[in-house]
């Protein structure tokens, strides 16, 4: 399962909030109503954490997807990562 999660190529949600040396083995998902990213964070110090963030962002009238929430997911991960 880790090998499968490590191959995720959609890195625009939580991954930009990681620190150098971190790896995030994860799976993203998105509809026009939900955006989520979940996986295993492996820190540079080889600590493992399970991270799951599932959101239902308010829809925007000019958007047919939930990608507008990605910067908020990144900020959340950055804040979390600073406290681990």
């Amino acid at each position: 399962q880790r090998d499968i999660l490590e191959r995720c190529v959609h890195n625009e949600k939580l991954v930009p909030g990681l620190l150098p040396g971190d790896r995030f083995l994860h799976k993203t998902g998105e509809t026009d109503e939900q955006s989520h990213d979940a996986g295993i964070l492996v820190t540079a110090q080889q600590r493992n954490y399970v991270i799951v963030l599932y959101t239902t962002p308010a829809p925007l009238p000019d958007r047919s997807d939930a990608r507008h929430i990605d910067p908020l997911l990144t900020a959340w991960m950055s804040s979390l990562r600073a406290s681990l």
Side-chain angles (χ1 to χ4, degrees):
Q1 287 305 95
R2 285 177 178 248
D3 289 341
I4 292 169
L5 293 173
E6 196 163 27
R7 290 193 299 259
C8 183
V9 296
H10 300 287
N11 294 320
E12 57 280 342
K13 296 178 186 307
L14 297 179
V15 171
L18 299 177
L19 295 178
D22 288 347
R23 291 183 311 128
F24 192 46
L25 296 66
H26 64 119
K27 173 70 178 89
T28 63
E30 184 175 297
T31 68
D32 57 345
E33 297 175 355
Q34 286 92 25
S35 180
H36 56 277
D37 201 346
I40 303 165
L41 168 62
V42 181
T43 68
Q45 297 77 28
Q46 299 306 303
R47 292 189 190 117
N48 291 271
Y49 299 91
V50 172
I51 308 290
V52 177
L53 187 58
Y54 184 91
T55 66
T56 304
L60 295 177
D62 60 337
R63 298 295 298 261
S64 62
D65 58 47
R67 281 187 286 234
H68 64 280
I69 200 77
D70 288 354
L72 295 175
L73 274 63
T74 297
W76 181 87
M77 175 59 101
S78 182
S79 177
L80 175 70
R81 188 59 191 94
S83 68
L84 295 178

